[in-house]
């Protein structure tokens, strides 16, 4: 299963894309195009998640409801 794969045909475009994706740190620069995405993914989404977590921390009751016998639950649903 995990043998040699030397006999596979390699697409040069796919190999180049893989290499560029693995080495993005060499070519990434902050400019007008990348700054908004960086701010949204790096600051806005984590801040919104933190705000949501803090604002709903004591409002949600996570205790399980009282357990009922299956016959009682069936009788209530009829």
């Amino acid at each position: 299963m995990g043998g040699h794969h030397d006999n596979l045909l390699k697409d040069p475009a796919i190999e180049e894309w893989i290499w560029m994706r693995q080495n993005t740190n060499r070519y990434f620069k902050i400019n007008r195009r990348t700054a908004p995405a960086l701010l949204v993914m790096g600051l806005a989404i984590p801040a919104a998640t933190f705000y949501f977590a803090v604002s709903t921390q004591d409002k949600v009751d996570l205790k399980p409801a009282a357990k009922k016998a299956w016959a009682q639950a069936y009788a209530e649903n009829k």
Side-chain angles (χ1 to χ4, degrees), residues 3 69 72:
Q72 289 175 342

Side-chain angles (χ1 to χ4, degrees), residues 28-65:
F28 179 77
K29 294 182 179 120
I30 297 176
N31 55 28
R32 288 181 184 223
R33 183 176 174 210
T34 59
L38 184 62
L39 289 174
V40 168
M41 289 185 283
L43 295 176
I45 292 175
T49 304
F50 178 75
Y51 175 76
F52 178 75
V54 169
S55 66
T56 60
Q57 185 173 8
D58 296 328
K59 296 178 183 176
V60 178
D61 186 21
L62 297 176
K63 290 186 235 172

Side-chain angles (χ1 to χ4, degrees), residues 15-30:
E15 294 296 321
E16 182 181 358
W17 180 81
I18 292 170
W19 190 88
M20 289 294 284
R21 184 157 168 88
Q22 290 175 347
N23 296 298
T24 52
N25 60 324
R26 295 182 186 181
Y27 301 103
F28 179 77
K29 294 182 179 120
I30 297 176

